[in-house]
């Protein structure tokens, strides 16, 4: 397919890091932990390979996004790697294909056919979103579905139903971020960030309430509440700012914050499942992820 910048010198590692939104992948392993803890109370050794698979698929989606958006980005975001001439469009597609193959291979290594039963639909949604659904009404739902499947990928195959509530909450969060991301360039109608803020508030409340509904220990309930509060303090504050002044800059800020604020939400879900140490690791990694995101944009 012809398009902007099909030919360029070999890209630098820094350019490829920007293409795949390198730091944003820190928001991915928590999906696997949340699913694993919800279904089994802990993360089994196979979770490491599943995390690697999910990170590879996330990076593949980012590279594919820029491949598909090269013409639009040449006008709206000329600083991105492809329109700026730092990465060839063909290189972005090859990167997406290679990372997709790696993600599927790692999933098969982690859990065989039962793992691929989740990872294949997840991969299909990622590619469908980037190549066809992104600009349609189904776009936010497709991305939310992909992220929900990522949580289920971490669950024990025989107990995936136990991870459905966590998957739905991660999906709900992703829906709000995707809906906001449609207005990063020109700003949003004031009602959009107000609506996503309401959705995020409901998500935080549900995450905090989930351990009580499942009769978890007081420690799990407290951990979930603390994580949910951290989630809302981070993402909710950014959305409130965008609701007051829905400029492109404020909307972009809310989207970037939303991507990284998934980590305290994952921590809330993991703590609520009774894995306090894993939840603490996620919460502790959040500030690092935010610092890295200032150097390489997650959007």
């Amino acid at each position: 397919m012809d398009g902007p910048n099909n030919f360029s010198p070999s890209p630098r590692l820094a350019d490829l890091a920007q293409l795949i939104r390198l730091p944003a992948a820190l928001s991915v392993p928590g999906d696997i932990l949340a699913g694993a803890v919800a279904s089994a109370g802990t993360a089994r050794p196979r979770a490491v390979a599943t995390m690697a698979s999910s990170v590879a698929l996330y990076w593949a989606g980012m590279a594919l996004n820029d491949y598909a958006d090269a013409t639009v980005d040449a006008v709206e975001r000329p600083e991105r790697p492809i329109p700026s001439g730092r990465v060839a469009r063909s290189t972005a597609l090859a990167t997406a294909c290679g990372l997709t193959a790696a993600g599927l291979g790692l999933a098969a290594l982690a859990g065989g056919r039962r793992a691929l039963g989740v990872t294949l639909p997840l991969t299909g949604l990622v590619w469908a979103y980037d190549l066809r659904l992104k600009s349609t009404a189904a776009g936010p739902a497709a991305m939310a579905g992909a992220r929900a499947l990522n949580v289920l990928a971490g669950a024990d195959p025989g107990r995936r139903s136990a991870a459905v509530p966590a998957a739905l909450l991660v999906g709900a969060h992703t829906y709000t971020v995707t809906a906001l991301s449609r207005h990063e360039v020109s700003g949003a109608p004031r009602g959009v960030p107000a609506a996503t803020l309401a959705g995020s508030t409901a998500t935080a409340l549900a995450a905090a309430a989930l351990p009580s509904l499942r009769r978890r220990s007081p420690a799990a309930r407290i951990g979930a509440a603390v994580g949910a509060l951290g989630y809302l303090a981070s993402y909710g504050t950014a959305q409130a700012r965008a609701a007051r002044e829905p400029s492109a800059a404020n909307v972009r800020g809310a989207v970037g914050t939303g991507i990284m604020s998934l980590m305290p939400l994952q921590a809330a879900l993991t703590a609520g499942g009774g894995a306090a140490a894993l939840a603490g690791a996620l919460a502790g990694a959040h500030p690092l992820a935010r610092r890295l995101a200032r150097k390489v944009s997650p959007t």
Side-chain angles (χ1 to χ4, degrees):
M1 181 183 295
D2 293 331
N5 185 29
N6 274 329
F7 304 97
S8 75
S10 297
R12 300 177 306 157
L13 290 178
D15 300 326
L16 291 175
Q18 185 178 353
L19 176 75
I20 63 174
R21 319 295 197 274
L22 188 69
L26 289 173
S27 71
V28 175
D31 287 349
I32 306 305
L33 289 179
V37 170
S39 64
T42 188
R44 303 190 191 282
R46 78 175 188 90
V48 176
T50 306
M51 289 178 192
S53 168
S54 294
V55 167
L57 292 175
Y58 186 93
W59 282 339
M62 293 297 99
L64 188 64
N65 174 82
D66 280 18
Y67 165 79
D69 285 358
T71 302
V72 174
D73 284 345
V75 176
E76 296 182 348
R77 299 186 181 190
E79 75 281 358
R80 278 186 167 176
I82 293 176
S84 66
R86 291 175 288 126
V87 175
R89 195 179 187 195
S90 58
T91 299
L93 180 59
T95 300
C97 291
L99 286 168
T100 297
L104 291 172
L106 286 164
L109 178 65
R113 282 187 290 181
R114 291 198 296 179
L116 288 174
V118 174
T119 307
L120 282 171
L122 165 60
T123 303
L125 273 178
V126 169
W127 277 71
Y129 174 82
D130 282 329
L131 297 181
R132 182 69 63 181
L133 299 177
K134 183 188 305 179
S135 59
T136 72
M143 188 49 60
R147 204 77 199 220
L149 284 173
N150 203 41
V151 175
L152 295 180
D156 273 12
R159 290 181 49 81
R160 285 192 178 124
S161 60
V164 168
L168 291 176
L169 291 177
V170 169
H173 165 79
T174 304
Y175 189 100
T176 67
V177 175
T178 309
L180 278 174
S181 71
R182 296 183 161 206
H183 304 280
E184 287 183 283
V185 174
S186 57
R190 194 175 301 275
V192 172
T196 62
L197 176 58
S200 301
T201 302
T203 298
L205 291 173
L210 193 57
S212 296
L213 296 175
R214 293 190 160 183
R215 298 182 180 180
R216 300 290 189 183
S217 68
R221 298 177 191 182
I222 293 171
V226 170
L229 183 60
Y231 162 73
L232 198 56
S234 176
Y235 187 33
T237 298
Q239 290 175 98
R241 187 181 304 115
R244 289 192 301 270
E245 177 52 55
S247 64
N250 283 344
V251 172
R252 278 195 303 273
V255 171
T257 300
I259 292 171
M260 293 308 184
S261 292
L262 183 54
M263 297 175 75
L265 176 61
Q266 294 161 340
L269 296 170
T270 303
L278 292 175
L282 283 171
H286 183 225
L288 171 62
R290 292 180 63 182
R291 284 196 296 271
L292 291 174
R294 296 190 188 103
K295 298 181 178 181
V296 178
S297 172
T299 68

